Amino acid sequence: MRDKGFSPLRPLFFFASFIVTLHLVNGDLSYSIPEEMKRESVIENLAKDLGLDLRTLSSRKARVDFEGTRKRYCDINLSTGDLITSERIDRESLCGKKPSCVVAVDLVLENPLELHRLSLHIQDVNDNSPKFKENLIEMEIRESAEKGNRFSIEEAHDADIGQNAVQRYSLEKNDNFILAVDSNKVELVLENKLDREKQKEINLLLTALDGGSPQRSGTVVIHVTVLDANDNAPVFSQAVYEASLPENSPPDTIVITVSATDADEGVNGDVTYDLSHVSDDD
Ligand SMILES: *[C@@H]1O[C@H](CO)[C@@H](O)[C@H](O)[C@H]1NC(C)=O
Ligand SMILES: [Ca+2]
Ligand SMILES: [Ca+2]
Ligand SMILES: [Ca+2]
Ligand SMILES: [Ca+2]
């Protein structure tokens, strides 16, 4: 009598087929491709690399599957066996600042079931420029700032990685500041003292450059307002004033008008007058 119900051999059969399936997962094939390739670009000929018979690709329903993403980055052309890109692969949105960017792809064939694991290593392309957060940085620095004083500037960012990210900065030549950059800390260093009375506003052009080829850059204008310090004394319009007046002049007669000016700003430039060493009789 035939037993159509539960067979004690069945679990064994599943177990065996599981082992077979595992064996069908072949060793990793890995391909290195640049990001942002045009759609339909040929990555590699899979049929050739895997020794597959081109004539059976269609009947075996060869297809690619992706792990953990609904996007289809690539596809297989059933008539040529080529692995081709099927949509934009943007390394930045896929992997951000990660130093390595790998997309896992499974190539599946049926009848008999065959699985190949492919790794696509997405290489960075220099498609982003260094960017400062703002176009303009406003700074106020007092003219009494000492030589060697440092003023930090927010660094630029570049979405690319490695050499394609920010590599150096350059400051337009000017009379007062030089640049100090270490491990992405960017500082202006006062090289020659400021003088508000000579120049009260300074514009500096700062450029960030990446190390890609071709190189990309981004700029920011640093607008420095020089604040006043009380570093000027009032100066009279003449060193010596001479006046003569008749001896019978009445009190309150104007003897002479003197005037002094001060190059500083605000209260630092206000001038008051005071006579010293004058005896009551005078
Ligand atoms: C497959 O490649 C051939 C030859 O390059 C091309 O003519 C055909 O359009 C491709 N098929 C698909 C579905 O992309
Ligand atoms: Ca990109
Ligand atoms: Ca890039
Ligand atoms: Ca870049
Ligand atoms: Ca001053």
Side-chain angles (χ1 to χ4, degrees), residues 50-65:
L50 296 168
L52 301 172
D53 185 351
L54 269 187
R55 289 165 302 182
T56 65
L57 287 183
S58 267
S59 60
R60 294 184 67 194
K61 299 200 176 80
R63 62 183 184 273
V64 290
D65 273 349

Side-chain angles (χ1 to χ4, degrees), residues 143 195-197 227-232 262-265 268:
E143 61 176 330
D195 184 357
R196 190 204 66 87
E197 283 72 56
L227 302 178
D228 188 39
N230 193 15
D231 56 350
N232 287 279
D262 186 314
D264 294 322
E265 191 180 45
N268 292 340

Side-chain angles (χ1 to χ4, degrees), residues 126 128-129 158 160 164-165 210:
N126 193 19
N128 291 278
S129 300
D158 187 317
D160 299 318
N164 292 334
D210 67 23

Side-chain angles (χ1 to χ4, degrees), residues 6-175:
F6 176 79
S7 153
L9 282 179
R10 229 152 167 191
L12 194 61
F13 171 74
F14 281 128
F15 183 64
S17 78
F18 179 63
I19 303 252
V20 173
T21 309
L22 270 188
H23 276 285
L24 287 171
V25 176
N26 292 273
D28 263 24
L29 264 183
S30 77
Y31 298 116
S32 187
I33 58 166
E35 61 168 324
E36 313 281 356
M37 283 172 102
K38 273 214 282 289
R39 287 189 61 206
E40 316 271 296
S41 300
V42 175
I43 297 171
E44 199 60 67
N45 190 276
L46 280 183
K48 198 157 71 182
D49 284 9
L50 296 168
L52 301 172
D53 185 351
L54 269 187
R55 289 165 302 182
T56 65
L57 287 183
S58 267
S59 60
R60 294 184 67 194
K61 299 200 176 80
R63 62 183 184 273
V64 290
D65 273 349
F66 295 86
E67 278 176 4
T69 166
R70 244 174 292 151
K71 290 205 164 190
R72 299 192 61 80
Y73 295 112
C74 57
D75 219 331
I76 182 167
N77 179 321
L78 292 176
S79 56
T80 61
D82 284 331
L83 182 65
I84 56 169
T85 56
S86 49
E87 62 180 276
R88 175 182 177 216
I89 303 178
D90 176 28
R91 195 210 60 80
E92 283 72 46
S93 54
L94 213 52
C95 298
K97 282 286 183 182
K98 279 193 251 166
S100 145
C101 188
V102 181
V103 175
V105 185
D106 287 332
L107 175 69
V108 186
L109 294 103
E110 294 175 6
N111 201 23
L113 186 62
E114 194 176 328
L115 271 172
H116 294 275
R117 170 64 52 87
L118 315 173
S119 306
L120 297 181
H121 293 259
I122 315 298
Q123 303 301 318
D124 186 35
V125 160
N126 193 19
D127 56 346
N128 291 278
S129 300
K131 272 198 192 80
F132 288 94
K133 215 165 172 183
E134 321 273 354
N135 297 325
L136 179 71
I137 296 175
E138 295 274 9
M139 294 183 89
E140 291 186 340
I141 302 178
R142 200 158 295 279
E143 61 176 330
S144 53
E146 295 296 340
K147 183 180 152 117
N149 281 10
R150 288 169 174 248
F151 307 90
S152 43
I153 304 288
E154 196 172 348
E155 72 233 48
H157 289 280
D158 187 317
D160 299 318
I161 54 167
Q163 280 297 309
N164 292 334
V166 177
Q167 297 299 308
R168 64 186 189 89
Y169 291 85
S170 126
L171 182 67
E172 183 190 27
K173 209 167 158 36
N174 68 93
D175 295 336

